[in-house]
Amino acid sequence: MADNTQKMSFQAGEAKGQAQEKASTLMDRAGNAAQSAKESVQEAGQQVMSTAQGAVEGLKNATGMNK
């Protein structure tokens, strides 16, 4: 009986360890996805700012305000 209880306890601990490892892997993947999304948004924001600055310069040139 004691051997059976020890075996079950070992298996429960092993299952817990595997679940923790899977959770850790999922958290790492989620963190990587969030970082990638953040970088994409920042890049898009920089592109929008650059386009807007170009438009302002074009408008200044067209109206003679850049002289």
Side-chain angles (χ1 to χ4, degrees), residues 10-21:
F10 173 79
Q11 288 173 339
E14 193 172 53
K16 179 182 177 185
Q18 289 173 354
Q20 287 174 332
E21 181 62 29

Side-chain angles (χ1 to χ4, degrees), residues 15-29:
K16 179 182 177 185
Q18 289 173 354
Q20 287 174 332
E21 181 62 29
K22 286 181 182 179
S24 177
T25 298
L26 289 174
M27 291 299 290
D28 287 346
R29 287 182 184 172

Side-chain angles (χ1 to χ4, degrees), residues 39-63:
E39 290 169 3
S40 294
V41 168
Q42 286 176 335
E43 185 177 325
Q46 289 173 348
Q47 289 174 351
V48 168
M49 285 180 57
S50 178
T51 301
Q53 287 172 344
V56 167
E57 290 302 314
L59 184 59
K60 284 182 181 180
N61 288 335
T63 59

